Amino acid sequence: MSVSYLERAQVLVEALPYIQRFAGHTVVIKYGGHAMVDDALKENVLLDILLLHSVGMRPVVVHGGGPEINRMLGRVGKKSTFVQGLRVTDEETMEIAAMVLVGKLNTQIVGHLNRLGGRAVGLNGQDARLFLAEKKPMTLVNLEGYEEDVDLGYVGQITKMSPEIVVSLLDQGFIPVISPLAGGEDGLPYNVNADMAAGMLAGALQADKLFLLTDVPGIMRDVHDPASVVSELRVQDVEKLMADGVIQGGMMPKAECALLALGQGVPSVHIVDGREPHTLLLEIFSDVGVGTMIFGH
């Protein structure tokens, strides 16, 4: 279906109040899922980010990379072990994860944004002590009913953020693109959860919005029915859905990340389907919305 020039002009006029409202505001985008591996979706997402930047917003991108890490480990014949969804990360796995996240994915995203006309700069959490982490503890109950410590290796949890380098880049008109690696006080590198890194960074930057790109339409009351997606939720609604088991599986860390960001002062968190074209633009510049928006009490 072709769109006339007049219709295009009308779309721009309708978006104007939103552009005026959010100009100068910081938004953090957790970029992951299918939108990172499908070339057409990747182009759509990066064009959305570039448009946000071009109309005066301050986007910050935090990306994941689990599927690509799996692919690279498979190529070297190394199998992964997971404990409660966390990859046990020995020294060799940590080296491969750093190579994929920083050397490949971060470089690719930055290069793509710049080819489209943006001004992107790649970072990882070790740069300027952006993310400081410590070894993540894990305790499980064994078959005899006793608690048992599990060594996850180089899996970290963020304990402190120093976002000054990100603020400096934003003030100079750049788009920061950040890999979820962190440095430790012990001098070791750590792989950290990208969702939690994005949530904590959004809070540290006092971002206006946090976007989590996923491979589902949003939070659904019935995971088998995409039509059951809930468009708006308050914090207490999310807590109840988690307690009732409606939010579970892969959506649980997204929900926990959202509650973390909201608790640090971020006004709203948006869980949107990265498989659909231009979801970021629809969520920001229209009344319709295309995912689940979570906001405070």
Side-chain angles (χ1 to χ4, degrees):
M1 182 180 65
S2 62
V3 179
S4 71
Y5 290 111
L6 182 58
E7 288 172 321
R8 294 181 186 181
Q10 186 62 36
V11 168
L12 292 173
V13 170
E14 290 176 358
L16 180 59
Y18 299 97
I19 294 173
Q20 291 174 323
R21 176 182 175 187
F22 294 116
H25 289 241
T26 299
V27 294
V28 175
I29 301 158
K30 164 39 180 36
Y31 179 35
H34 202 62
M36 280 192 69
V37 297
D38 183 285
D39 288 340
L41 294 177
K42 185 187 302 182
E43 184 89 357
N44 281 329
V45 170
L46 297 182
L47 282 171
D48 285 2
I49 292 169
L50 184 56
L51 193 146
L52 297 181
H53 182 259
S54 299
V55 298
M57 297 181 70
R58 292 155 56 99
V60 178
V61 181
V62 179
H63 68 84
E68 189 64 32
I69 294 173
N70 291 339
R71 191 175 297 112
M72 186 61 71
L73 288 171
R75 288 175 61 181
V76 300
K78 192 171 182 64
K79 294 184 178 180
S80 291
T81 302
F82 291 87
V83 177
Q84 293 188 354
L86 298 173
R87 188 196 311 271
V88 178
T89 306
D90 60 16
E91 185 174 0
E92 184 182 14
T93 301
M94 185 66 226
E95 291 177 356
I96 292 172
M99 178 179 65
V100 170
L101 291 169
V102 180
K104 182 177 182 181
L105 296 177
N106 190 274
T107 301
Q108 287 179 347
I109 296 168
V110 169
H112 202 151
L113 279 169
N114 289 339
R115 284 195 300 274
L116 292 171
R119 301 178 70 217
V121 175
L123 298 171
N124 73 78
Q126 297 180 98
D127 292 326
R129 295 170 66 87
L130 174 57
F131 301 155
L132 189 65
E134 63 183 14
K135 187 181 180 72
K136 184 176 179 64
M138 175 67 70
T139 302
L140 298 177
V141 178
N142 61 26
L143 295 177
E144 288 76 31
Y146 296 103
E147 290 189 345
E148 184 176 304
D149 291 335
V150 177
D151 185 3
L152 296 175
Y154 293 86
V155 176
Q157 59 184 16
I158 297 174
T159 57
K160 182 181 178 181
M161 288 208 167
S162 300
E164 293 85 358
I165 182 65
V166 178
V167 174
S168 177
L169 289 170
L170 289 171
D171 288 345
Q172 295 177 72
F174 293 103
I175 303 172
V177 179
I178 303 165
S179 295
L181 295 181
E185 291 286 11
D186 52 12
L188 298 175
Y190 288 99
N191 192 8
V192 297
N193 180 274
D195 289 330
M196 299 306 290
M200 293 183 70
L201 182 60
L205 294 172
Q206 288 298 285
D208 192 73
K209 293 178 181 294
L210 167 63
F211 288 91
L212 303 173
L213 294 182
T214 72
D215 288 341
V216 294
I219 293 178
M220 297 177 286
R221 295 192 182 277
D222 179 356
V223 295
H224 303 294
D225 181 11
S228 69
V229 64
V230 186
S231 59
E232 290 186 0
L233 291 169
R234 293 184 181 273
V235 166
Q236 57 266 38
D237 301 325
V238 175
E239 292 170 339
K240 186 176 188 306
L241 291 175
M242 293 169 70
D244 292 344
V246 175
I247 295 176
Q248 56 181 305
M251 186 55 69
M252 184 66 79
K254 307 286 185 189
E256 293 173 343
C257 166
L259 296 180
L260 173 68
L262 292 165
Q264 293 184 350
V266 178
S268 65
V269 178
H270 304 254
I271 300 176
V272 296
D273 192 344
R275 300 170 302 175
E276 297 296 326
H278 303 301
T279 50
L280 291 175
L281 301 186
L282 291 171
E283 190 72 7
I284 294 179
F285 297 136
S286 74
D287 288 328
V288 179
V290 291
T292 298
M293 179 177 76
I294 308 172
F295 49 99
H297 293 282

